[in-house]
Amino acid sequence: MSRCGLLIECADREHIQLPLTGVSVVAEIIDLVAKVSIEQRYVNRENHPIEAIYLFPVDEGAGVCHFTAEVDGRSIEGVVKETEEARNDYEQAIQSGHSAFLVEEKLPDVFKAKVGNLAAGSGAKIRLTYVTELKVEGGEIRFYLPTTIAPRYVPPTDLSSATAELASINYTQTNQYQVEINVTVQTASIIQKIYSPTHKIDVNHNVGDNPMKAKLQLFEKVSCMDRDFVIYVEVAEPHQPRLIHEKSKNGTSALMLSLVPSFKLDEMKIEAIFVVDRSGSMQGPGIVEAKRALKLFLHSLPIDCCVNIVGFGSTYKPLFSSSRKYGHECLALTKECAQFLEADLGGTEIYDPLAWIFEQPTINGYSRQVFVLTDGEVSNVNKVISLVRCQRGNARVFALGLGSSASHYLVEGIARAGNGTALFASLDERLEKKVMQQLQDALQPALTDIKINWQGYDETEQLSSPFNPPIQTEKTLMGYGKSREEPVTPAISENPEMKLRQAPSDKMIPPVFDGRHFIVYALIAQGAHIPEWVEVVASAPVGPLLLKVNRTKPNFEESQLIHRLAAKKLIQVLQERGDDLTNKNEIIQLGCQYGLASRYTSYVAVDPKEQKELKDSWMVMKSRDIPVQVAHGWGGLSQNFMMTDSASPITKVPRVERCLLLGDGSSTESPTFMTFSSPLEGRPVSTGHHTNTFETLPHSALLSDDDKCILLISTQNYDGSFPMEHELAQLLHTKLEIIKQAGEKCCYSETIWATATALAYLSLALPKLKDSWKLAAKKAEKWIDSHEGFSNREHRKSCIEEAYQFVRCNTSVRSGLKSVTNSIFSFE
């Protein structure tokens, strides 16, 4: 009989068919929250019972809230228990001849499923449901579904059990089971567009004649699980502030305050430090994307700032011993650094470079902003997050996750701990827009010291008071003056001193950024007052900013969606505080009360049917690890699968699908400063207006709009001016002499005319990329205004009109003069 399907090749050459046969995902997006159900199907084709073990990714901020299993048509409901108790129940069930299932959290974004005592020839399904918040990026709602766990670099000092689990993952380049994804979208505004930068999808708009509802699915069934599934939803109207009420069956209530704030504050003077991942896993498209992002960052910086670049891998290499003032020479050096960056530093030791940065003295008058560009594939995430949290008063940390499966736990975690923001760009997404968003976030002060006032509640009613058990007052030798019973952690609904519990509390609310989704929850005890409105008070440099939001209708009646999101938020805050006993007990209480998996609570399900053949043969049950598909583009992989993210040589592993990433113990007590294949030392550095160190690009007709944008911006000087260079002529499909003659005819200096022409080209030819070039254009605008005579409105307008007229004659863009002259100086 011939064998078919994906096989694991073991050291003894025994071929074993994989028990995982298919995965189906059903997601419901309801405005800015989502509910996702994942079904995994298993079949045991061996002639003895097996235990299938599968590590799989989950949204880092999600609350896993429901679990069911089905064995041979019998449905079994999962129960949340303290993890050790759940494991004991699982093991006892296996030994007693029952099929059993266990789902536990290994990291906030990695879960482990065990399907135990699956009888020969039997099939099983497990269904896992989670709820999560969604991000807003540039006015669009972003939903992502993680599908694979990229290999993690393990520092030699990381000996945790979770790390051992990650290191045991078997990897494969292909999957033979099919994947189905179906998504329903319902928003509060008309849906204008839904698209995916990662997968081909089939979208059905206006479902049920409702323009605010849509359905989508994969264009075709796929067997590829090598990249996150990402979709964006564009709606007609901006997200409006809402206070949504949900009532549960047991009489408790939950409120969700959801808003996307819009404000503009004066820019700060910043010290920008770019921390770039140069580990082996970044080889190929990863390092290309990092270089592209860095180039755009460097050209979009304000004139008055300080800069440094730190590359890291097994070691770390700062470009400068301390941050330098931004200027002609600094820009030339940092551009050359970006040009020659390579993923050549081995493992991913991110802790040491961050520690070195935090040890450097801050620069008086400049606010330190750290930008981390990484695929986030490390195991010691908690240690790194703790380091960043300790420095949150001295620096803000922004994180940009690159690649098809960047670790959301690391990227989101360090951004939360560092009072910054996190964004992600898969290999198929436009990077420029995200880079500009993060730089704009870093240039503005965020709103801090947030206070939430719930109507009908004062501050004392929102705080948890210690549980005080009754004291024995009867004068008896056994217990007088002592507590009648040992204190226990009460459920929220049973604590009369905590009628309303806010998640997160005022002290734990992260800074609020312009255009970023802001959510606060409240859990309300049974019978307690339901607020009719909530007021947000935020401290800002200009004084407090206020917003009052009334409770909206309709609400989520008889539901647990908001309850579970609120409880998950509480658990997330508690888990990031530490592992002390008080936090642990509260996490267990919240997990069991709201049915949420966590660091200390897990789902267990036991088939009530006892099978004698399983009881007699459980000791010969064999465990089968389900391989995980390696991430698309990981380490520059194409066809040949090799691990390169290690500082030590790769060791041949007996199981061909398996790989363990280990550090070699190398470290650096002091940094090695950056060198390049063509060293900067001794190389003449231009301190003039232009040094083009970027790759040579083909004729502009062959370039994408993104490449055209990068090509032009890469010529810009640090002060905002544009030189009269060949790149500008290339984009305008003309000769440089023709551009110069046009400027001379209008009596403008060469640099003034080149700058005005560059601005006109960006606005006319690349209007859809405004988010990518507006900071560079704003700098150019200020540079023009600084010249004598151009503060005069008519003189400036005349220059702009002439530049627009010239560009229109040299491009295929056709726009009315009135519309463009009104838009050129509107880059705010």
Side-chain angles (χ1 to χ4, degrees):
M1 178 180 289
S2 62
R3 298 179 182 270
C4 61
L6 184 61
L7 306 176
I8 302 176
E9 185 179 356
C10 297
D12 58 1
R13 291 293 186 262
E14 178 187 6
H15 290 274
I16 303 167
Q17 293 178 325
L18 290 179
L20 182 60
T21 62
V23 175
S24 299
V25 179
V26 176
E28 299 175 64
I29 296 175
I30 308 170
D31 208 15
L32 292 178
V33 298
K35 179 181 177 182
V36 180
S37 295
I38 303 171
E39 180 183 277
Q40 300 167 0
R41 297 181 291 278
Y42 298 84
V43 173
N44 179 10
R45 296 191 177 98
E46 301 183 50
N47 57 10
H48 51 75
I50 65 168
E51 177 187 53
I53 302 173
Y54 183 40
L55 270 77
F56 59 96
V58 171
D59 184 344
E60 179 265 349
V64 176
C65 60
H66 193 235
F67 174 70
T68 58
E70 183 179 312
V71 183
D72 296 334
R74 298 186 300 279
S75 182
I76 310 154
E77 194 78 14
V79 179
V80 172
K81 295 186 177 182
E82 194 274 329
T83 295
E84 288 303 318
E85 182 182 356
R87 289 173 180 169
N88 290 335
D89 287 355
Y90 174 82
E91 294 297 336
Q92 289 177 10
I94 296 297
Q95 295 177 27
S96 301
H98 298 265
S99 294
F101 307 83
L102 181 68
V103 174
E104 54 185 338
E105 176 187 302
K106 308 312 296 184
L107 291 172
D109 59 348
V110 177
F111 276 68
K112 180 179 182 180
K114 296 176 77 173
V115 180
N117 249 357
L118 188 59
S122 289
K125 297 178 183 178
I126 64 172
R127 299 184 185 93
L128 193 76
T129 300
Y130 67 80
V131 292
T132 187
E133 302 170 1
L134 303 184
K135 284 182 175 288
V136 175
E137 294 183 9
E140 297 177 335
I141 301 168
R142 184 182 193 266
F143 168 82
Y144 94 100
L145 176 74
T147 62
T148 186
I149 305 168
R152 300 291 201 268
Y153 172 80
V154 181
T157 55
D158 188 354
L159 304 176
S160 65
S161 59
T163 295
E165 295 276 7
L166 291 174
S168 70
I169 295 177
N170 299 316
Y171 284 94
T172 177
Q173 285 201 79
T174 58
N175 280 330
Q176 296 302 313
Y177 54 85
Q178 288 190 327
V179 183
E180 300 176 71
I181 301 177
N182 292 275
V183 184
T184 301
V185 182
Q186 186 163 355
T187 63
S189 177
I190 294 174
I191 299 171
Q192 291 188 322
K193 184 180 180 182
I194 298 177
Y195 67 95
S196 171
T198 57
H199 293 75
K200 292 182 179 180
I201 58 174
D202 184 14
V203 182
N204 181 14
H205 289 275
N206 205 33
V207 173
D209 293 326
N210 184 350
M212 294 179 286
K213 191 171 183 179
K215 290 184 177 181
L216 63 100
Q217 60 186 3
L218 291 175
F219 185 73
E220 57 187 1
K221 291 183 180 180
V222 299
S223 59
C224 185
M225 297 275 281
D226 67 345
R227 68 198 72 191
D228 293 346
F229 172 70
V230 179
I231 64 170
Y232 287 89
V233 180
E234 182 182 326
V235 295
E237 298 177 5
H239 178 72
Q240 297 300 312
R242 282 191 288 279
L243 179 63
I244 301 171
H245 171 225
E246 174 186 85
K247 187 175 181 180
S248 70
K249 293 180 179 180
N250 62 11
T252 62
S253 290
L255 292 172
M256 180 176 72
L257 170 64
S258 174
L259 61 98
V260 179
S262 179
F263 58 89
K264 186 179 185 302
L265 303 173
D266 292 338
E267 287 187 359
M268 305 182 298
K269 293 198 296 184
I270 69 168
E271 175 196 13
I273 303 177
F274 301 100
V275 185
V276 185
D277 190 342
R278 292 175 56 185
S279 64
S281 65
M282 291 285 288
Q283 286 182 11
I287 196 67
V288 171
E289 289 297 293
K291 291 164 69 171
R292 190 179 181 93
L294 185 55
K295 294 170 187 178
L296 197 55
F297 269 128
L298 292 171
H299 277 282
S300 302
L301 289 170
I303 296 174
D304 189 5
C305 71
C306 299
V307 187
N308 203 354
I309 300 172
V310 182
F312 73 92
S314 296
T315 60
Y316 62 99
K317 297 184 178 183
L319 179 59
F320 307 126
S321 59
S322 60
S323 297
R324 288 194 186 179
K325 190 72 184 295
Y326 190 55
H328 298 305
E329 183 177 358
C330 180
L331 179 59
L333 288 169
T334 53
K335 284 170 64 176
E336 191 136 20
C337 171
Q339 172 71 12
F340 289 99
L341 282 179
E342 296 294 341
D344 55 0
L345 292 184
T348 313
E349 295 280 0
I350 191 172
Y351 183 93
D352 289 340
L354 289 174
W356 179 82
I357 289 169
F358 295 143
E359 289 170 359
Q360 303 305 304
T362 56
I363 302 173
N364 188 33
Y366 294 83
S367 176
R368 177 169 288 170
Q369 314 291 313
V370 180
F371 300 86
V372 180
L373 287 71
T374 181
D375 56 15
E377 293 161 7
V378 296
S379 68
N380 60 338
V381 177
N382 292 330
K383 182 180 178 182
V384 175
I385 291 174
S386 296
L387 171 68
V388 174
R389 185 181 296 111
C390 292
Q391 297 293 327
R392 69 191 328 170
N394 302 321
R396 288 196 302 188
V397 179
F398 299 83
L400 181 58
L402 303 173
S404 300
S405 60
S407 169
H408 281 64
Y409 180 34
L410 175 72
V411 174
E412 295 277 9
I414 61 176
R416 271 196 307 270
N419 284 340
T421 59
L423 287 176
F424 296 85
S426 73
L427 299 180
D428 304 296
E429 290 186 77
R430 275 190 53 222
L431 189 62
E432 292 81 4
K433 186 176 180 180
K434 297 173 186 289
V435 168
M436 289 300 95
Q437 181 62 63
Q438 286 216 309
L439 186 53
Q440 288 179 83
D441 290 342
L443 290 173
Q444 277 197 50
L447 302 184
T448 56
D449 298 328
I450 311 296
K451 182 173 176 57
I452 310 295
N453 297 321
W454 303 92
Q455 181 267 330
Y457 289 89
D458 60 32
E459 188 172 350
T460 58
E461 292 175 303
Q462 299 178 36
L463 299 178
S464 172
S465 59
F467 177 71
N468 297 314
I471 302 299
Q472 174 67 270
T473 56
E474 182 183 355
K475 293 182 178 180
T476 171
L477 188 60
M478 299 302 293
Y480 172 73
K482 292 188 175 181
S483 302
R484 290 182 186 268
E485 56 186 357
E486 291 296 319
V488 295
T489 305
I492 291 175
S493 59
E494 298 170 355
N495 189 345
E497 299 299 326
M498 195 163 42
K499 297 179 180 178
L500 182 148
R501 185 174 189 185
Q502 183 179 303
S505 64
D506 286 348
K507 291 182 179 180
M508 300 300 294
I509 293 177
V512 177
F513 289 86
D514 174 39
R516 298 305 186 96
H517 191 199
F518 173 75
I519 293 185
V520 174
Y521 302 94
L523 290 168
I524 302 173
Q526 183 177 0
H529 167 70
I530 311 297
E532 293 293 331
W533 52 262
V534 65
E535 183 181 53
V536 184
V537 184
S539 297
V542 295
L545 299 180
L546 305 158
L547 178 68
K548 183 178 179 180
V549 182
N550 293 317
R551 180 149 56 92
T552 57
K553 295 180 181 180
N555 52 32
F556 293 102
E557 287 289 350
E558 301 297 325
S559 176
Q560 284 281 299
L561 176 63
I562 297 177
H563 281 75
R564 285 167 170 160
L565 285 168
K568 170 59 182 179
K569 184 66 69 174
L570 289 171
I571 288 173
Q572 185 181 64
V573 170
L574 291 167
Q575 288 190 161
E576 292 183 352
R577 278 185 189 172
D579 293 325
D580 62 79
L581 185 59
T582 301
N583 287 343
K584 178 179 179 180
N585 289 337
E586 192 167 1
I587 290 171
I588 293 172
Q589 179 262 317
L590 285 166
C592 293
Q593 182 178 352
Y594 290 100
L596 294 170
S598 69
R599 184 181 300 171
Y600 305 115
T601 54
S602 301
Y603 268 101
V604 63
V606 177
D607 184 358
K609 182 181 178 180
E610 179 181 316
Q611 301 181 60
K612 185 178 184 302
E613 63 273 17
L614 291 178
K615 188 174 182 178
D616 294 339
S617 61
W618 74 268
M619 291 189 69
V620 299
M621 179 183 72
K622 295 186 178 182
S623 293
R624 300 297 184 226
D625 294 327
I626 311 298
V628 173
Q629 190 169 2
V630 70
H632 168 62
W634 188 93
L637 294 178
S638 54
Q639 294 180 347
N640 296 321
F641 179 59
M642 276 187 62
M643 293 300 191
T644 57
D645 194 9
S646 174
S648 58
I650 302 300
T651 301
K652 179 68 176 178
V653 183
R655 296 176 69 173
V656 298
E657 305 271 350
R658 182 177 179 182
C659 180
L660 175 61
L661 302 181
L662 293 175
D664 63 349
S666 62
S667 62
T668 176
E669 295 181 359
S670 58
T672 302
F673 296 98
M674 284 192 184
T675 58
F676 306 94
S677 54
S678 300
L680 291 175
E681 299 299 330
R683 179 182 298 174
V685 175
S686 169
T687 56
H689 287 298
H690 176 52
T691 301
N692 184 18
T693 59
F694 295 89
E695 292 89 351
T696 301
L697 293 172
H699 189 275
S700 61
L702 303 177
L703 298 177
S704 68
D705 284 352
D706 288 333
D707 287 333
K708 291 175 184 177
C709 182
I710 287 288
L711 175 62
L712 184 56
I713 289 177
S714 69
T715 67
Q716 189 178 25
N717 299 312
Y718 97 98
D719 59 6
S721 63
F722 282 84
M724 188 69 72
E725 295 286 348
H726 290 284
E727 288 83 353
L728 183 59
Q730 178 185 353
L731 292 170
L732 292 178
H733 304 289
T734 189
K735 296 181 179 179
L736 195 61
E737 287 303 315
I738 293 176
I739 303 176
K740 291 179 179 179
Q741 290 170 8
E744 291 170 358
K745 182 179 179 181
C746 298
C747 300
Y748 297 119
S749 72
E750 192 172 278
T751 309
I752 287 280
W753 181 244
T755 303
T757 303
L759 288 173
Y761 176 82
L762 290 170
S763 188
L764 281 168
L766 306 173
K768 292 182 179 180
L769 301 185
K770 184 176 179 180
D771 286 337
S772 299
W773 52 253
K774 66 180 179 181
L775 286 182
K778 184 178 177 181
K779 239 187 351 181
E781 169 196 346
K782 288 182 177 180
W783 182 83
I784 291 177
D785 280 350
S786 68
H787 285 70
E788 185 177 354
F790 282 89
S791 58
N792 180 288
R793 181 180 177 85
E794 291 303 317
H795 194 187
R796 183 177 64 185
K797 182 179 179 182
S798 176
C799 177
I800 296 168
E801 289 178 348
E802 288 163 340
Y804 265 84
Q805 188 64 39
F806 174 76
V807 171
R808 272 204 307 272
C809 294
N810 288 276
T811 67
S812 59
V813 176
R814 295 290 181 266
S815 298
L817 184 60
K818 182 177 180 181
S819 64
V820 296
T821 53
N822 289 338
S823 68
I824 182 68
F825 281 82
S826 58
F827 303 127
E828 296 296 331

